[in-house]
């Protein structure tokens, strides 16, 4: 696993040539979730961190709970 981007709210990493975004679920009782994202979305966030919210909306509901 190679971390390609990290900030206060999200972590993006590359595993087996796929990109994943990890963040919290944002609920009252929050847990970590992760989901696969495109390389284009990774580049969008790296170029302008303010795009993170739009990318999160795009993948809303697709995250799986991280149990590590």
């Amino acid at each position: 696993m190679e971390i390609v981007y990290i900030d206060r709210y999200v972590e993006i990493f590359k595993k087996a040539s796929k990109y994943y975004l990890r963040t919290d679920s944002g609920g009252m009782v929050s847990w970590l979730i992760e989901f696969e994202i495109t390389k284009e979305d990774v580049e969008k966030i790296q170029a302008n961190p303010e795009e993170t919210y739009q990318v999160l909306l795009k993948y809303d509901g697709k995250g799986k709970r991280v149990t590590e």
Side-chain angles (χ1 to χ4, degrees):
M1 178 172 80
E2 169 193 353
I3 295 176
V4 288
Y5 179 83
I6 192 166
D7 74 10
R8 190 170 152 186
Y9 305 103
V10 301
E11 179 179 295
I12 299 173
F13 58 94
K14 186 176 181 181
K15 181 168 57 172
S17 75
K18 294 183 178 180
Y19 292 93
Y20 297 88
L21 187 145
R22 184 177 287 177
T23 189
D24 69 63
S25 63
M28 190 165 219
V29 178
S30 191
W31 56 81
L32 286 177
I33 58 170
E34 71 181 39
F35 47 87
E36 184 178 348
I37 65 172
T38 66
K39 183 176 182 185
E40 291 77 20
D41 287 333
V42 173
E43 292 168 348
K44 189 184 297 187
I45 291 171
Q46 288 175 320
N48 182 4
E50 292 179 10
E51 290 291 325
T52 303
Y53 182 69
Q54 295 302 318
V55 171
L56 288 172
L57 288 177
K58 177 179 174 181
Y59 294 95
D60 187 37
K62 297 193 183 333
K64 293 190 175 28
R65 188 173 180 180
V66 177
T67 57
E68 300 176 351

